[in-house]
Amino acid sequence: MDQGRGSWHIHINYCRERMTTIRNTNSLLHNFEVYFGEFERSLNGESQTGWHKIRKKAFQKLVETGFPDRKHEEYRYTPMTQRIEKAFQVFPDFDLQKSGDKQPDISACLPQGMKANILVFVNGNYQAHLSKCIPEDNLHIAELADAIGDQEVEKYLGESVSHTDSFALLNTAFSSNGIVLKVLRNQIIQNPVYMIHITDGSLNNRVNQPRILILFDKNSQATIAEFFFSKGDKTIFTNAFTEIRVGENATVRYIRAGLENNQALRVSNISVYQEESSTFTSVNVDLEGKLIRNNLNIIQNGRGCETHLYGFYLLTDNMHVDNHTVVDHKYPDSQSNEIYKGIMANKSTGVFNGKIYVRQDAQRTNAYQQNSNILLSNDATINTKPQLEIWADDVKCSHGCTTGQIDQEQIFYMRSRGLDEVQAKTILLHAFALDILNHINIEELRSMLDLKVIEKLNNV
Amino acid sequence: MLKIKNLRASIGDKEILTGINLDVNAGEVHAIMGPNGSGKSTLASVLAGREEYKVTSGSITFLGDDLLDLSPEERAWKGLFLAFQYPVEIPGVSTTNFLKTAVNNVREHRGLEKLDAVSFLRLMREQMKLMEIDQSLVNRSLNEGFSGGEKKRNEIFQMALLDPKLAILDETDSGLDIDALKIVANGVNHLKSSDNAIIIVTHYQRLLEYIVPDFVHVLYNGQIVKSGTKELAFELEEKGYEWIREEVAGISI
Ligand SMILES: Nc1ncnc2c1ncn2[C@@H]1O[C@H](COP(=O)(O)OP(=O)(O)O)[C@@H](O)[C@H]1O
Ligand SMILES: [Mg+2]
């Protein structure tokens, strides 16, 4: 890959972090205040429960911090607040959130012959009647409302009020029809758990706030996938929050992909807490949507943790995808390995911000981070910023980012053997993508994404 | 088959080829020799259609067409093949898939039926035997991590698969030990026929012991300054290029 040749828009190492607390009185917040009132009324007698106290606390904190505006350091390249405001000048009626298509056709989201535990969410709400689990896998799923008496669940929900991201707070404030998935001690779930999020964007603009809590007990193992789809072409706003607690010596693989319509706005907060000797691997793929922001936060809460983060984004038209990742090494003898790769065409914009913290006690940490980008047009932009902060002294850390165009030497080689320019370009870009897609261990989902990638590459 | 007339080419503002004339007919083997930097690879690149090189004057006809009008892939479809001096590594691209696409593209443009997976693999296996290419090599990404010798053999293997009309081998002999050299030479000799032609670019005479040229040309400072038969190669081997330098200097005085 050429290193930043020509007049491409490359911004590496943008400004240093600043603490910003912005009292924001924008109309979006006002809209949500009205909306929250309606939501409370719809809860009837439930509004005095412990859960609702958590929601109120989260909402209160959101009112204090406001939504991030352009001056907010963490959102300076991603005008999420402004876009939501623009798209939802008239907020959808709250009741409509529960109506709409309750029996959407999920066949397009479900690869044929795929053997998996299927959990379906429609417009952010879990649909038990559409979900289907494999009995031998003995999955323990509870709807949030039923799990709330569980001390562990209530504790984690309560802790999420301290999240600093406004959208995470918003999700907690409106949390309702989410689920809790528990993987028991020593339990190994053989088949993947495939969560399908489908949003009906055919009638009115949608706001969806799926909430998922996954608790892995000691020595447990599973592969979880969360895929986001939509039907219809109206603007949808998805504000997802998934929390994963990875117990001691547990092994978790987590695949996440966005395939919504080209008007979709989405914020994903994924918070992962790893205990001693656990392994967490994630693959995040974004191929569709209009404005996407992923906050993937990993906290290593014990020694000997292993974290692998892979990401791929293929952006066309005016798409904008922003990946913010944090790996917080707090204990000794851990490692993290992060590779994010992106292809940007047309007027699309990519943002990558990868924070790695190595705390004072985290001796012998081994951390690696790489962000590689290919820009296919003069109007495409990537803002990339690796950010390593190291307090321990005995560590191995490296990071790098490359931004370039397609390698013309490689193109010429292939053309001289009879491949046309488009074939040669597609093969190279596809290889670039496969480097990440090959980490998806569910073959049907990998090939579903792969086909989509090929289809898109044939049109860039 | 190939007619190069008074070809001048440059890169940036630097003129590298300063008037090349060369005729190659079907059934012939030509060797182009010359010291480093004389323009041999540049000539090969211009023939293959590398866009960085600007042709400033002259003409090239290949099988009746103006070669300079064709894109690199059109040249390949018409039967031109360049074995690169430094084949580029292409990580992540499967050698087998790449070759299948290449072979089928070329076949399609020659009016032949495309090969299905089974017949392609059969063809590939035949040619692998000829070039003594191991299965593990084609299972890897294209040229990635190949040794120098493996890269060169892989080039000739591709030549065998694509069955070109005109093959240009740019320093295919350099970096090969004697056994690999013999394999390459055997392969090339096997492919040689009365309706194709080969241009061997080299600055050693070594390969020419195995692939006997009909003509030997000396390229110096972007021009063919001397042409002869295979004896010229022996003379160069014996006397070195100093002799040519002196001769050229003598002419210009
Ligand atoms: N891309 C390039 N940019 C600048 N100069 C080049 C480039 N390629 C070749 N040259 C120059 O052109 C001359 C001929 O090079 P080349 O054709 O590679 O010679 P040969 O193959 O005979 O050794 C050399 O002086 C070389 O430095
Ligand atoms: Mg050369």
Side-chain angles (χ1 to χ4, degrees):
Chain A
M1 206 107 319
D2 304 341
Q3 299 276 324
R5 167 149 46 105
S7 62
W8 305 87
H9 306 207
I10 302 159
H11 311 283
I12 297 170
N13 279 327
Y14 54 78
C15 284
R16 290 283 309 161
E17 203 70 11
R18 272 183 293 130
M19 281 305 291
T20 40
T21 333
I22 294 156
R23 179 77 175 85
N24 193 325
T25 49
N26 59 35
S27 64
L28 185 64
L29 190 58
H30 175 73
N31 271 339
F32 271 112
E33 281 180 310
V34 176
Y35 194 8
F36 192 67
E38 285 177 39
F39 175 56
E40 285 195 301
R41 275 190 292 284
S42 78
L43 293 172
N44 299 323
E46 209 205 291
S47 61
Q48 290 313 311
T49 61
W51 183 12
H52 195 62
K53 289 197 180 109
I54 294 170
R55 289 189 190 118
K56 273 174 49 182
K57 240 167 109 180
F59 195 74
Q60 194 47 45
K61 202 176 156 202
L62 173 65
V63 170
E64 281 160 25
T65 43
F67 286 102
D69 64 9
R70 276 224 176 269
K71 286 187 225 106
H72 195 289
E73 181 60 31
E74 292 298 326
Y75 281 85
R76 58 183 290 200
Y77 292 111
T78 302
M80 187 58 77
T81 303
Q82 297 87 318
R83 291 287 183 83
I84 302 167
E85 249 169 16
K86 208 172 136 201
F88 294 95
Q89 277 167 0
V90 180
F91 238 76
D93 177 34
F94 184 76
D95 275 345
L96 279 175
Q97 294 302 309
K98 293 203 167 179
S99 68
D101 194 348
K102 280 237 159 111
Q103 295 281 4
D105 182 11
I106 58 162
S107 58
C109 319
L110 195 58
Q112 260 192 350
M114 180 177 174
K115 197 174 174 208
N117 298 280
I118 314 285
L119 308 183
V120 180
F121 295 76
V122 178
N123 302 330
N125 305 312
Y126 177 63
Q127 309 291 322
H129 67 289
L130 295 177
S131 303
K132 208 169 168 216
C133 292
I134 296 169
E136 306 88 81
D137 278 340
N138 196 20
L139 226 57
H140 289 74
I141 302 166
E143 299 199 22
L144 213 45
D146 299 326
I148 203 72
D150 186 324
Q151 280 193 353
E152 209 184 6
V153 172
E154 202 154 327
K155 174 173 169 272
Y156 293 144
L157 212 57
E159 281 174 16
S160 67
V161 173
S162 62
H163 205 296
T164 52
D165 186 75
S166 307
F167 296 99
L169 294 170
L170 180 71
N171 180 291
T172 302
F174 285 92
S175 58
S176 49
N177 300 307
I179 60 160
V180 179
L181 169 62
K182 281 194 175 187
V183 187
L184 309 183
R185 183 169 294 212
N186 302 329
Q187 187 182 4
I188 294 171
I189 300 183
Q190 293 295 344
N191 300 290
V193 177
Y194 179 34
M195 304 189 187
I196 297 172
H197 292 272
I198 180 158
T199 299
D200 182 3
S202 56
L203 290 174
N204 54 303
N205 297 354
R206 280 275 169 206
V207 179
N208 321 284
Q209 307 209 57
R211 176 60 170 249
I212 293 163
L213 177 59
I214 308 173
L215 307 175
F216 282 87
D217 207 341
K218 226 173 163 172
N219 304 327
S220 61
Q221 291 182 23
T223 296
I224 314 273
E226 263 194 270
F227 277 44
F228 293 80
F229 301 90
S230 64
K231 49 176 285 198
D233 55 7
K234 296 282 195 305
T235 301
I236 54 175
F237 167 48
T238 301
N239 180 32
F241 191 169
T242 299
E243 190 175 324
I244 305 174
R245 300 268 170 177
V246 186
E248 194 182 318
N249 202 40
T251 301
V252 178
R253 295 187 74 102
Y254 178 70
I255 328 278
R256 190 178 180 92
L259 294 160
E260 297 117 315
N261 70 26
N262 63 6
Q263 295 302 313
L265 312 172
R266 174 161 46 83
V267 178
S268 288
N269 272 290
I270 306 110
S271 297
V272 181
Y273 301 84
Q274 285 187 251
E275 298 306 322
E276 192 173 323
S277 302
S278 64
T279 304
F280 177 80
T281 303
S282 86
V283 186
N284 187 95
V285 179
D286 276 297
L287 306 176
E288 298 286 342
K290 180 153 192 125
L291 186 69
I292 307 290
R293 166 62 175 256
N294 299 311
N295 294 321
L296 175 57
N297 295 334
I298 317 290
I299 294 177
Q300 293 185 343
N301 264 331
R303 58 164 69 213
C305 288
E306 215 182 286
T307 308
H308 302 274
L309 308 180
Y310 302 101
F312 176 69
Y313 36 101
L314 170 51
L315 314 185
T316 49
D317 307 304
N318 287 309
M319 286 175 69
H320 178 116
V321 171
D322 175 349
N323 280 295
H324 266 61
T325 65
V326 179
V327 181
D328 195 347
H329 294 274
K330 292 164 68 171
Y331 293 88
D333 302 311
S334 292
Q335 50 169 305
S336 66
N337 169 46
E338 177 171 15
I339 306 172
Y340 269 66
K341 299 178 90 172
I343 299 171
M344 273 120 316
N346 313 116
K347 294 183 167 177
S348 63
T349 309
V351 180
F352 175 80
N353 180 298
K355 295 184 178 66
I356 294 178
Y357 301 130
V358 183
R359 308 284 174 186
Q360 195 155 13
D361 286 342
Q363 297 296 358
R364 298 174 301 282
T365 290
N366 194 338
Y368 174 81
Q369 182 189 83
Q370 174 72 31
N371 175 228
S372 310
N373 298 287
I374 296 180
L375 299 176
L376 296 178
S377 111
N378 272 315
D379 299 321
T381 307
I382 175 73
N383 298 291
T384 175
K385 182 190 184 186
Q387 198 180 335
L388 270 60
E389 292 187 33
I390 301 168
W391 291 274
D393 46 30
D394 181 14
V395 299
K396 262 195 238 158
C397 286
S398 64
H399 69 89
C401 52
T402 60
T403 298
Q405 298 158 255
I406 298 177
D407 188 321
Q408 290 304 323
E409 282 287 309
Q410 296 177 339
I411 293 279
F412 178 67
Y413 184 87
M414 293 194 272
R415 290 179 74 189
S416 81
R417 298 289 141 91
L419 271 66
D420 66 40
E421 214 174 340
V422 174
Q423 284 173 326
K425 192 174 86 177
T426 308
I427 282 189
L428 280 187
L429 295 175
H430 189 219
F432 184 79
L434 279 181
D435 199 29
I436 299 299
L437 297 183
N438 282 340
H439 290 284
I440 299 175
N441 61 328
I442 309 169
E443 202 187 316
E444 294 88 350
L445 294 182
R446 183 183 60 233
S447 99
M448 176 163 121
L449 294 176
D450 190 29
L451 287 175
K452 187 82 207 162
V453 166
I454 292 170
E455 182 195 316
K456 286 200 82 171
L457 288 178
N458 282 325
N459 291 305
V460 294
Chain B
M1 174 174 292
L2 180 77
K3 205 172 196 54
I4 304 177
K5 267 198 207 152
N6 197 26
L7 180 73
R8 289 173 168 266
S10 47
I11 184 152
D13 344 316
K14 187 173 168 191
E15 182 165 67
I16 297 168
L17 302 182
T18 56
I20 301 245
N21 290 290
L22 181 67
D23 274 10
V24 178
N25 298 307
E28 293 176 353
V29 176
H30 289 242
I32 297 181
M33 305 183 74
N36 275 333
S38 57
K40 302 183 299 292
S41 291
T42 302
L43 176 61
S45 296
V46 168
L47 288 173
R50 195 190 282 273
E51 275 149 14
E52 293 98 296
Y53 296 94
K54 292 279 161 285
V55 172
T56 50
S57 72
S59 67
I60 309 175
T61 36
F62 175 54
L63 293 169
D65 276 348
D66 182 351
L67 189 73
L68 297 174
D69 267 357
L70 305 178
S71 66
E73 59 270 32
E74 285 168 326
R75 297 176 196 205
W77 300 339
K78 232 180 133 52
L80 191 103
F81 180 91
L82 168 62
F84 286 81
Q85 181 173 7
Y86 303 109
V88 62
E89 299 196 8
I90 313 191
V93 171
S94 129
T95 302
T96 309
N97 287 348
F98 164 72
L99 290 177
K100 183 162 177 266
T101 312
V103 165
N104 276 335
N105 274 8
V106 166
R107 287 180 67 90
E108 195 183 356
H109 286 89
R110 290 185 193 158
L112 297 169
E113 221 172 290
K114 285 194 180 188
L115 297 178
D116 60 21
V118 176
S119 355
F120 174 73
L121 286 178
R122 194 181 306 126
L123 170 71
M124 199 167 86
R125 248 179 246 121
E126 276 167 30
Q127 305 298 349
M128 277 163 63
K129 218 179 276 165
L130 176 68
M131 292 312 303
E132 299 184 30
I133 296 254
D134 205 59
Q135 182 65 38
S136 64
L137 211 65
V138 293
N139 288 346
R140 279 155 67 181
S141 289
L142 193 50
N143 293 327
E144 192 187 14
F146 286 23
S147 71
E150 285 170 337
K151 282 181 186 163
K152 297 300 174 76
R153 255 190 296 155
N154 190 33
E155 292 291 284
I156 303 305
F157 166 57
Q158 292 185 43
M159 169 183 163
L161 282 175
L162 294 172
D163 189 23
K165 291 277 177 245
L166 174 66
I168 304 150
L169 314 186
D170 191 0
E171 310 254 2
T172 300
D173 52 339
S174 59
L176 292 185
D177 60 33
I178 193 71
D179 292 329
L181 188 77
K182 280 183 185 163
I183 295 171
V184 163
N186 267 338
V188 172
N189 284 328
H190 185 85
L191 297 167
K192 210 171 79 178
S193 81
S194 58
D195 42 53
N196 61 26
I198 300 167
I199 299 176
I200 296 168
V201 172
T202 179
H203 57 262
Y204 305 108
Q205 173 264 341
R206 200 172 64 144
L207 179 64
L208 305 181
E209 286 176 20
Y210 300 96
I211 310 171
V212 181
D214 301 299
F215 301 96
V216 174
H217 311 276
V218 180
L219 189 65
Y220 184 73
N221 273 345
Q223 282 181 12
I224 290 178
V225 293
K226 204 171 178 66
S227 294
T229 53
K230 66 174 190 280
E231 283 72 27
L232 178 57
F234 293 118
E235 211 174 340
L236 286 167
E237 184 81 357
E238 217 170 277
K239 298 190 190 165
Y241 288 110
E242 262 323 292
W243 159 63
I244 297 288
R245 267 186 203 121
E246 280 157 21
E247 242 191 51
V248 172
I251 291 164
S252 62
I253 284 169

